[in-house]
Amino acid sequence: MLAVAVSSFFALYVLGPDAFSRVVLGFTLPRRSVNLSRSEEVSRALIWAVASFSLAYLWASLDGSLAKTWNPGLFKVWFSGIDSEAYFSTHSEVWFGSLAAVLKLNRCLLLRTYAVVFLLSILLSILTHFYGVVRDSLPAWTWLREAFAAIVLPRVAPWHVLLSKLLLGDRSLSIHLDILTKADMLYQGAFADKTLAADGSLVSVTLANPRRFDREAYVQEKENGTKPSAELFWKKIPTNMFLVMASEIATVNLRYLPRDRSVRPLKAGSPDLTDLLKAIGEQVEEAKRQAVNGPAFTFVNNAHLSI
Amino acid sequence: MNGSQIESVLQLIDQNVDITRQETLLYLREHQAEVVQALARTGRATVKTTAGELSLRIEDLTAAAA
């Protein structure tokens, strides 16, 4: 009975918090995008267990619940009963009475432990979902940002880092890919989705608004002596879900562009660009005014001619 | 990837975006007259960068002035 009791406590207080946190965090960071070694898994489980239990113990102490459920005499009876069959046989009535006290204490601590785990997991999920935004708002100290990454993000698969918008501070940016396949085909498109294997390796990439480069026609034009623009040889593919299997990919180029392909998001953090856009705006207004009223020198010239 | 590796990748992404920003600035300075004419005529101009073509609209200028 002692072994059963110890195993149960171990499962509830040590393994449970980590497992529960993974379920909550799994909504933000899919499990297969996380690559932890066995020792890192154990360390993380222990940290969750110690941190959540400590906070739960503090909580129960401060609100008086621990004092109300703490009964050392009954705990002693309970422990003696599970440790010795002989004691249990002769004191079974008293033992069952002590069981209620033990259950009450554990309910007090476990409810608070899992509540703390839930709240911390929600906080970590929010920080993970808005990781790029929060990171950009931190002071630009490398050690601080690295510490933030170490606390918030577990060991994330490289492909999830590279092909994931949740790490981008500027949410108006989107990822565009240029993919050269092993069959020497060049594709371009906006990143739509990816599939990762259980070990975090890339299985496939899905492109939206894809297009293919007609290299044969381009080379043919060049051989004819003309200097063709490469842009003319991109052919649109009529789909929004173009899958490229990772096994077929030779190289990938990642580009980060504003989602609406406009200049506006780029002016953030660039006073020079903002000033230039203002100056262009004034010139455009002046150009429109001249188009409506005519330029001032035309009136002067006509007056001169009339004289 | 651990924290410092993620941080390195994010800095590369920041530099990637910054290059696009610098190219946009350079293009607008070099082709300012054409851009002004296109905006006055059609309300829209194209900015060419190595990352791809971006569009500049009258509303973007209004937002910059605000």
Side-chain angles (χ1 to χ4, degrees):
Chain A
M1 266 180 48
L2 181 63
V4 170
V6 168
S7 304
S8 302
F9 283 131
F10 184 79
L12 287 169
Y13 284 97
V14 179
L15 301 180
D18 183 49
F20 186 52
S21 71
R22 287 186 197 192
V23 170
V24 179
L25 289 169
F27 288 107
T28 308
L29 207 57
R31 185 73 188 94
R32 55 186 50 203
S33 68
V34 178
N35 287 127
L36 292 172
S37 65
R38 188 56 62 93
S39 59
E40 284 168 336
E41 300 254 9
V42 171
S43 307
R44 206 165 173 92
L46 285 174
I47 291 170
W48 267 112
V50 169
S52 56
F53 182 78
S54 304
L55 289 170
Y57 188 89
L58 186 65
W59 179 1
S61 304
L62 290 173
D63 71 5
S65 310
L66 192 63
K68 286 180 199 166
T69 54
W70 188 255
N71 198 322
L74 288 177
F75 299 155
K76 201 172 166 186
V77 169
W78 181 82
F79 184 78
S80 301
I82 63 167
D83 185 42
S84 165
E85 281 225 35
Y87 183 89
F88 176 75
S89 303
T90 53
H91 298 84
S92 56
E93 289 276 338
V94 177
W95 187 85
F96 279 105
S98 70
L99 179 62
V102 168
L103 287 175
K104 214 172 165 183
L105 172 69
N106 280 285
R107 191 178 65 219
C108 167
L109 288 173
L110 280 172
L111 278 175
R112 283 163 177 75
T113 299
Y114 283 89
V116 165
V117 170
F118 181 72
L119 291 171
L120 286 179
S121 300
I122 293 288
L123 176 65
L124 278 178
S125 289
I126 293 171
L127 286 175
T128 303
H129 187 70
F130 293 103
Y131 178 80
V133 177
V134 176
R135 170 198 173 256
D136 284 355
S137 65
L138 292 175
W141 302 329
T142 308
W143 67 267
L144 181 63
R145 290 184 171 184
E146 286 182 11
F148 181 60
I151 292 167
V152 174
L153 293 176
R155 196 173 275 274
V156 188
W159 282 113
H160 190 73
V161 174
L162 292 170
L163 298 178
S164 176
K165 265 186 62 182
L166 67 89
L167 297 176
L168 289 178
D170 188 346
R171 302 303 224 147
S172 66
L173 293 176
S174 62
I175 303 168
H176 291 255
L177 303 177
D178 304 316
I179 297 176
L180 180 67
T181 67
K182 291 174 183 170
D184 217 20
M185 301 293 290
L186 184 61
Y187 297 101
Q188 208 179 57
F191 168 72
D193 200 4
K194 66 182 179 295
T195 312
L196 299 180
D199 63 351
S201 58
L202 187 67
V203 174
S204 69
V205 170
T206 304
L207 301 179
N209 303 318
R211 47 186 203 167
R212 179 180 67 83
F213 188 66
D214 190 350
R215 189 171 175 273
E216 290 89 7
Y218 178 72
V219 168
Q220 186 67 45
E221 276 296 309
K222 283 186 82 172
E223 284 173 358
N224 291 344
T226 58
K227 286 186 183 176
S229 164
E231 188 57 36
L232 299 170
F233 295 87
W234 283 100
K235 311 292 179 195
K236 282 188 94 170
I237 301 173
T239 178
N240 223 20
M241 276 185 63
F242 186 73
L243 260 81
V244 184
M245 304 308 293
S247 56
E248 296 300 314
I249 295 175
T251 56
V252 179
N253 178 42
L254 273 69
R255 291 176 287 123
Y256 298 87
L257 291 171
R259 196 182 319 125
D260 58 359
R261 303 298 286 262
S262 84
V263 168
R264 191 189 306 197
L266 294 177
K267 68 176 174 52
S270 176
D272 289 343
L273 187 56
T274 306
D275 290 342
L276 183 57
L277 290 175
K278 282 184 198 166
I280 289 174
E282 287 163 8
Q283 289 173 34
V284 169
E285 289 302 315
E286 180 58 32
K288 283 182 174 176
R289 247 195 310 274
Q290 286 187 3
V292 169
N293 300 326
F297 75 87
T298 307
F299 177 79
V300 172
N301 277 347
N302 284 342
H304 173 73
L305 286 172
S306 70
I307 291 169
Chain B
M1 280 187 175
N2 59 25
S4 61
Q5 289 167 331
I6 290 173
E7 226 355 83
S8 299
V9 170
L10 288 173
Q11 283 177 18
L12 285 175
I13 294 173
D14 288 343
Q15 286 165 21
N16 197 307
V17 175
D18 210 40
I19 288 170
T20 306
R21 191 178 284 122
Q22 294 304 320
E23 287 179 356
T24 301
L25 189 60
L26 199 63
Y27 184 89
L28 289 174
R29 280 181 180 155
E30 288 178 357
H31 300 86
Q32 198 163 338
E34 298 161 29
V35 167
V36 167
Q37 278 184 17
L39 283 165
R41 203 171 46 242
T42 63
R44 203 178 177 95
T46 301
V47 175
K48 293 185 181 170
T49 68
T50 52
E53 288 188 354
L54 302 173
S55 69
L56 178 61
R57 299 160 302 182
I58 293 282
E59 303 88 74
D60 301 329
L61 303 175
T62 317

